[in-house]
């Protein structure tokens, strides 16, 4: 599923248009390890940010409301070579860290489950 298709599914589900190409990121499960990996400019956290986590069938929609993280670079790993937040969210259902920012990749173990808006199958 492509980003635009997923955005349309969410917007149709809501019967309004809050998601668009600028405020939404999408990621599939990484081939090398069980994570959804995002690189996001810190300033994007000052507005509603939508993350679409592709699964084998469907996707999970996360909504991080504007200013949930005032200084995301103080919370999450900042890639200094790109000045972007580096999120690796665990997709491993067998561990207690499902939907958690991976510590060994520089994350703090933040649990993203509280931001789940809907799961599309």
């Amino acid at each position: 599923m492509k980003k635009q298709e997923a955005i349309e599914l969410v917007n149709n589900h809501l019967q309004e248009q809050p998601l668009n190409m600028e405020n939404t990121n999408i990621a599939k499960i990484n081939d090398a390890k069980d994570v959804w990996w995002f690189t996001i400019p810190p300033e994007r956290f000052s507005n509603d940010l939508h993350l679409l986590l592709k699964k084998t069938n469907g996707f999970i929609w996360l909504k991080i409301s504007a200013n949930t993280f005032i200084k995301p670079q103080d919370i999450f790993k900042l890639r200094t070579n790109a000045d972007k937040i580096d999120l690796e969210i665990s997709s491993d259902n067998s561990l207690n860290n499902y939907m958690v920012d991976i510590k060994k990749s520089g994350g703090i173990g933040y649990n993203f489950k509280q931001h789940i808006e809907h799961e599309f199958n």
Side-chain angles (χ1 to χ4, degrees):
M1 174 172 296
K2 298 195 183 293
K3 181 178 177 179
Q4 185 61 44
E5 294 171 304
I7 288 172
E8 288 173 12
L9 273 173
V10 173
N11 288 340
N12 287 338
H13 171 76
L14 296 172
Q15 297 181 342
E16 55 182 296
Q17 306 295 309
L19 278 69
N20 57 54
M21 294 295 280
E22 288 76 41
N23 69 5
T24 306
N25 288 57
I26 190 168
K28 66 179 181 117
I29 297 172
N30 188 286
D31 291 334
K33 54 184 170 179
D34 291 333
V35 298
W36 292 283
W37 189 4
F38 297 93
T39 52
I40 303 169
E43 59 273 11
R44 296 265 315 277
F45 288 84
S46 61
N47 298 304
D48 287 350
L49 175 62
H50 304 276
L51 301 178
L52 305 177
L53 314 177
K54 290 171 65 173
K55 302 182 314 173
T56 305
N57 295 309
F59 62 95
I60 301 167
W61 166 38
L62 303 180
K63 178 184 176 186
I64 301 173
S65 297
N67 297 313
T68 297
F69 307 105
I70 303 298
K71 291 185 176 182
Q73 63 273 25
D74 292 346
I75 309 284
F76 303 111
K77 178 182 175 185
L78 179 67
R79 292 183 62 175
T80 54
N81 64 335
D83 287 330
K84 293 186 179 180
I85 301 300
D86 199 25
L87 295 179
E88 289 188 33
I89 303 172
S90 175
S91 62
D92 189 347
N93 273 318
S94 66
L95 300 174
N96 291 333
N97 66 349
Y98 180 69
M99 298 291 296
V100 170
D101 188 32
I102 303 296
K103 288 183 182 182
K104 69 180 179 181
S105 297
I108 61 164
Y110 183 84
N111 192 331
F112 283 91
K113 288 180 188 173
Q114 63 190 311
H115 300 288
I116 296 174
E117 289 290 319
H118 193 78
E119 192 163 341
F120 294 83
N121 295 311

